[in-house]
Amino acid sequence: MSSNHAQAISTAVDYVKAPLLYKGKVRELYDLGEHYLIVVTDRISAFDYVLDPAVPEKGNVLNQLSAFWFEQTAQFQPNHVVHTDVDKLADVVTEPELLRNRIMVTRKANRIDMECVVRGYITGGGWRQYEQTSTINGIELPAGLRKNERLPEPIFTPAAKNDVGHDEDISFARMQELVGEELAQQLKEHSIKLYEFGRAFCADRGIILVDCKFEFGLTEDGVILIDEIFTPDSARFWAQDNYALDIEIDSMDKEPVRTYLAGSDWDKNSKPAPLPEAVVAETTRRYVDIYHRLIGE
């Protein structure tokens, strides 16, 4: 992990000479004509608010982890990556050292408006559903499961994407109605295969891949994986050393931010006050830690 990027980048608009098409909570999408340019900033969000200040190194970690995983899975899952070399963008990027390690040039694809979620363990929102209905997204599960228990098989629990507000958990049958039976089945199979690959890889490094989400797009060649893959923003990681049933397990991501906000007097109806320096520093440490544990550089 390079250490020459301690400066947090909250936006790249001043450093990119290309039209800005979309500004998400973390990523910015620029139009290069034939391709897109994705810049991963250090912005951090929680409870649907983008927070201040940005978290140093976060964007580098997210982008480099995604690039690593896209390469690892390319043999069985085509993806959108063209390259991640900022030096090939001399006519577009005015401050290459600031954006090094946080850019990805990608193929253009028509996004399929589905979050393809795979759960290997019963926790979080899935656990809350199970407690009330014994199901997750309409999938009947065995009685008597305990919080954080590993499921007999990974389950596919899609969500319909909403650009504003929360994505909507839906059943697989509803997904089939929305995108078609054949495409829905294809996305389910792709997602579970990716999850099983990631889970085995992480297990060899002392990490549990609890659940994750994927996004896919359509090109003339068919379905490709887009956005990000197996990052702390799109997957839940637990250290195997911390695994236990019936408790809240500290996940290896922006948990310090969520914990701080939950314990503060923030009213949840307006943007929170800036995060304390110690919370930002601990969040940076966690992102860098999961990077080193997974990639080992």
Side-chain angles (χ1 to χ4, degrees), residues 194-260:
L194 284 163
Y195 171 78
E196 290 179 330
F197 176 89
R199 176 158 75 177
F201 188 101
C202 290
D204 287 343
R205 287 150 184 82
I207 293 170
I208 295 171
L209 177 59
V210 183
D211 48 41
C212 57
K213 61 183 180 181
F214 308 107
E215 290 190 29
F216 294 92
L218 286 171
T219 70
E220 58 191 19
D221 300 323
V223 173
I224 64 170
L225 184 63
I226 64 171
D227 195 48
E228 62 182 327
I229 171 177
F230 300 144
T231 72
D233 279 13
S234 66
R236 191 188 322 246
F237 299 105
W238 291 335
Q240 285 178 354
D241 293 346
N242 292 340
Y243 180 66
L245 298 175
D246 308 321
I247 66 166
E248 285 293 328
I249 300 176
D250 197 12
S251 54
M252 304 171 74
D253 56 11
K254 56 188 174 186
E255 193 66 32
V257 172
R258 288 190 288 260
T259 300
Y260 166 75

Side-chain angles (χ1 to χ4, degrees), residues 107-277:
R107 298 165 63 189
K108 290 187 171 180
N110 292 316
R111 187 185 79 174
I112 301 165
D113 290 333
M114 285 287 152
E115 290 276 12
C116 292
V117 180
V118 182
R119 302 174 190 271
Y121 292 74
I122 184 163
T123 196
W127 170 251
R128 290 190 288 275
Q129 284 191 54
Y130 176 76
E131 278 191 302
Q132 294 174 1
T133 65
S134 299
T135 67
I136 301 180
N137 289 47
I139 299 170
E140 290 280 348
L141 292 172
L145 292 177
R146 294 167 64 183
K147 184 176 182 178
N148 305 334
E149 191 168 342
R150 179 168 167 159
L151 293 166
E153 298 288 338
I155 59 172
F156 181 70
T157 59
K161 283 191 69 65
N162 291 316
D163 284 329
V164 178
H166 291 287
D167 296 335
E168 177 191 356
D169 288 333
I170 59 173
S171 67
F172 183 62
R174 177 62 180 147
M175 179 180 176
Q176 290 178 308
E177 292 173 3
L178 291 171
V179 304
E181 291 186 14
E182 185 178 347
L183 180 58
Q185 185 63 35
Q186 198 176 352
L187 295 178
K188 177 180 178 179
E189 291 171 1
H190 284 293
S191 299
I192 289 177
K193 187 171 184 178
L194 284 163
Y195 171 78
E196 290 179 330
F197 176 89
R199 176 158 75 177
F201 188 101
C202 290
D204 287 343
R205 287 150 184 82
I207 293 170
I208 295 171
L209 177 59
V210 183
D211 48 41
C212 57
K213 61 183 180 181
F214 308 107
E215 290 190 29
F216 294 92
L218 286 171
T219 70
E220 58 191 19
D221 300 323
V223 173
I224 64 170
L225 184 63
I226 64 171
D227 195 48
E228 62 182 327
I229 171 177
F230 300 144
T231 72
D233 279 13
S234 66
R236 191 188 322 246
F237 299 105
W238 291 335
Q240 285 178 354
D241 293 346
N242 292 340
Y243 180 66
L245 298 175
D246 308 321
I247 66 166
E248 285 293 328
I249 300 176
D250 197 12
S251 54
M252 304 171 74
D253 56 11
K254 56 188 174 186
E255 193 66 32
V257 172
R258 288 190 288 260
T259 300
Y260 166 75
L261 290 174
S264 72
D265 57 4
W266 172 50
D267 64 9
K268 296 186 171 58
N269 294 315
S270 57
K271 185 172 178 173
L275 297 168
E277 191 175 316

Side-chain angles (χ1 to χ4, degrees), residues 65-106:
L65 271 179
S66 280
F68 171 79
W69 287 114
F70 279 131
E71 185 177 359
Q72 293 290 314
T73 57
Q75 72 243 17
F76 65 88
Q77 175 56 65
N79 61 62
H80 68 170
V81 180
V82 176
H83 71 80
T84 59
D85 185 356
V86 74
D87 294 325
K88 293 181 178 178
L89 297 172
D91 56 336
V92 175
V93 174
T94 61
E95 297 283 352
E97 289 311 312
L98 280 180
L99 300 190
R100 191 174 300 280
N101 300 329
R102 59 173 77 242
I103 67 101
M104 188 173 285
V105 174
T106 69

